[in-house]
Amino acid sequence: MARFTLPRDIYHGKGALEALKSFKGKKAVVCVGGGSMKRYGFLDKAVSYLEEAGFEVKLIENIEPDPSVETVMKGAETMLEFEPDWIVAIGGGSPIDAAKAMWIKYEYPEITFEEMCHVFGIPELRRKARFCAISSTSGTATEVTAFSIITDYEKGIKYPIADFEITPDVAIVDPELAHTMPKKLVAHTGMDAITHAIEAYVSTAHCDYTDPLALHAIEMIEHSLVDSYNGDMDKRDSMHNAQCLAGMAFSNALLGIVHSMAHKTGAAFADYGAHIIHGAANAMYLPKVIAFNAKDETAKKRYGEIADFMKLGGQSDDEKVALLIAYLRGMNDDLNIPHSIGQYGADSYPTEHGFVPEEVFLERLPAIAANAIGDACTGSNPRIPTQEEMEKLLKCCYYDTEVDF
């Protein structure tokens, strides 16, 4: 038996934010990030709509990118004091992910962060509050997923929390919020979205319910992402829907080792002054992982089906896989994303010498590889790497060398 879970309601299209007026309850806490939602007036709109619906509203503001365990615990304390019956998270993936984890701690104050990270081990929620997610970026799709990513900065590791319990009750997918994204964010979130869709399609947990969502998302991203990056706002609207479809697919089909590697490298070199931004990490690693997974015949066939759906050409599955890899590398070029960690600048742009020194990468490689293999996303990858294979794969991602194993 398999399960397919989505939010009960998804409000979409321009003006969808007004759906907040129809909510029923007494107290709502609104979780938000560093300022763009306030700067562009969307936070004030959300609060006014909730107040119009009769809510007393409290804000949890300034949730940082790559939210920390400490931020989660502090926000949960605020919720325990305020006792909301609705948690509304507005912004990019970071405030929504943080709010999901706060929700768990609010409902179960004794739970530890380590217990939260037990895959599909969260106790039943909604005893105290329901959850609404409002996305302002077009990539993570956390507004419809059973996942949250929280960073333990002491360990330099991003941990995925995975459980259908944290799938939001309501998602609001209003493309007007995505118009505020800066160009670099459009690129990174867009590549995160296509990685979600491709990994979902080849995942060992894919099914008839997830495949159409993944394929249609890939097609929409193929036709929309680069134009959205270059300022076409109609294509920006299309990307906001596409990433949500990709989220519906991967929340149920799960992901693979592109995400395992991105989670475990993202904060691994923070002491050298920067993170490897999640979407950029996915963009760099995806072509290498496709080459690795395509050594599995079933995965190769499914990558070939993706290439056919994208009309990339090719006669054999090997040719189709090569064309898919070339297409994705070309998309990285169009979006000004590096091809390797060794060329990844502290500002995320391509450079001859990246911010991660070679000797530091090699020193930390065994631990990063072991952590990636242990990541929650690895189990549904079509090919499970050994420690040696994961180290070799990460080296290919550092040096931009061919995957031939």
Side-chain angles (χ1 to χ4, degrees):
M1 181 177 70
R3 178 174 174 178
F4 185 86
T5 299
L6 296 175
R8 182 184 184 279
D9 294 300
I10 300 174
Y11 297 96
H12 57 95
K14 291 181 179 178
L17 191 62
E18 288 193 35
L20 292 170
K21 292 180 181 179
S22 66
F23 283 26
K24 292 178 171 57
K26 296 179 179 178
K27 292 184 176 182
V29 66
V30 177
C31 302
V32 68
S36 65
M37 290 297 94
K38 179 182 285 188
R39 189 162 59 250
Y40 293 104
F42 292 112
L43 177 60
D44 287 343
K45 278 186 178 180
V47 170
S48 68
Y49 291 151
L50 288 166
E51 289 177 341
E52 187 177 331
F55 284 90
E56 178 186 353
V57 179
K58 186 173 186 64
L59 300 181
I60 297 177
E61 298 185 81
N62 301 312
I63 296 170
E64 76 273 32
D66 303 305
S68 66
V69 178
E70 290 74 20
T71 294
V72 168
M73 298 306 169
K74 185 178 177 183
E77 287 177 12
T78 299
M79 291 182 186
L80 284 163
E81 292 170 5
F82 184 62
E83 298 184 335
D85 45 25
W86 272 99
I87 298 166
V88 177
I90 183 170
S94 294
I96 298 173
D97 279 4
K100 286 179 175 179
M102 293 173 192
W103 183 25
I104 300 168
K105 185 72 174 175
Y106 169 50
E107 300 245 357
Y108 294 93
E110 303 305 316
I111 199 170
T112 66
F113 180 67
E114 291 72 21
E115 289 169 337
M116 289 186 197
C117 294
H118 292 165
V119 178
F120 295 99
I122 303 291
E124 184 177 346
L125 299 180
R126 296 164 182 82
R127 303 179 313 156
K128 297 180 180 179
R130 287 184 288 170
F131 193 98
C132 170
I134 307 166
S135 55
S136 67
T137 59
S138 302
T140 70
T142 189
E143 72 275 7
V144 293
T145 76
F147 295 91
S148 164
I149 307 299
I150 305 298
T151 303
D152 184 329
Y153 284 91
E154 285 188 15
K155 296 180 180 177
I157 294 176
K158 295 184 179 184
Y159 287 96
I161 300 172
D163 198 291
F164 288 120
E165 283 297 321
I166 61 171
T167 304
D169 298 284
V170 176
I172 295 178
V173 187
D174 188 331
E176 291 183 332
L177 278 68
H179 289 186
T180 66
M181 286 194 294
K183 198 168 185 178
K184 182 163 72 172
L185 189 59
V186 172
H188 293 163
T189 56
M191 290 308 294
D192 192 20
I194 198 166
T195 304
H196 289 155
I198 291 173
E199 288 210 290
Y201 192 73
V202 301
S203 161
T204 57
H206 80 88
C207 68
D208 290 340
Y209 294 88
T210 59
D211 284 351
L213 294 165
L215 287 174
H216 190 52
I218 290 166
E219 183 180 45
M220 291 178 73
I221 295 166
E222 178 187 11
H223 295 304
S224 301
L225 176 52
V226 174
D227 288 340
S228 171
Y229 175 75
N230 290 321
D232 184 327
M233 288 302 161
D234 288 336
K235 295 297 179 68
R236 186 76 54 88
D237 295 353
S238 179
M239 276 301 303
H240 209 46
N241 287 333
Q243 64 87 32
C244 188
L245 295 175
M248 295 180 199
F250 92 78
S251 186
N252 292 279
L254 307 179
L255 292 166
I257 59 172
V258 178
H259 273 77
S260 303
M261 294 156 64
H263 292 154
K264 292 343 185 206
T265 54
F269 309 101
D271 52 331
Y272 281 80
H275 279 213
I276 301 175
I277 297 170
H278 180 71
N282 284 338
M284 294 189 296
Y285 306 161
L286 180 59
K288 305 300 184 189
V289 169
I290 290 173
F292 175 79
N293 284 342
K295 303 296 188 292
D296 174 271
E297 288 300 319
T298 300
K300 182 197 294 186
K301 181 176 182 295
R302 291 187 70 79
Y303 287 129
E305 290 169 0
I306 291 172
D308 287 342
F309 203 76
M310 296 172 72
K311 298 179 174 62
L312 298 182
Q315 296 300 312
S316 68
D317 284 334
D318 286 325
E319 289 179 3
K320 293 172 185 178
V321 168
L323 287 166
L324 177 60
I325 289 171
Y327 179 89
L328 293 167
R329 288 178 64 89
M331 186 175 274
N332 286 350
D333 290 333
D334 291 340
L335 300 173
N336 204 19
I337 295 173
H339 290 296
S340 68
I341 299 170
Q343 299 172 324
Y344 185 94
D347 58 0
S348 84
Y349 293 124
T351 183
E352 187 175 352
H353 299 291
F355 84 95
V356 181
E358 180 182 22
E359 64 275 11
V360 174
F361 171 78
L362 293 173
E363 178 187 345
R364 299 182 185 181
L365 177 60
I368 292 170
N371 288 331
I373 291 170
D375 188 89
C377 294
T378 298
S380 47
N381 195 68
R383 186 180 172 200
I384 304 298
T386 63
Q387 174 75 18
E388 180 185 4
E389 287 169 337
M390 180 59 82
E391 289 186 25
K392 288 171 70 175
L393 188 54
L394 284 161
K395 281 184 180 179
C396 291
C397 293
Y398 187 88
Y399 298 110
D400 191 21
T401 50
E402 294 296 318
V403 178
D404 57 2
F405 53 92

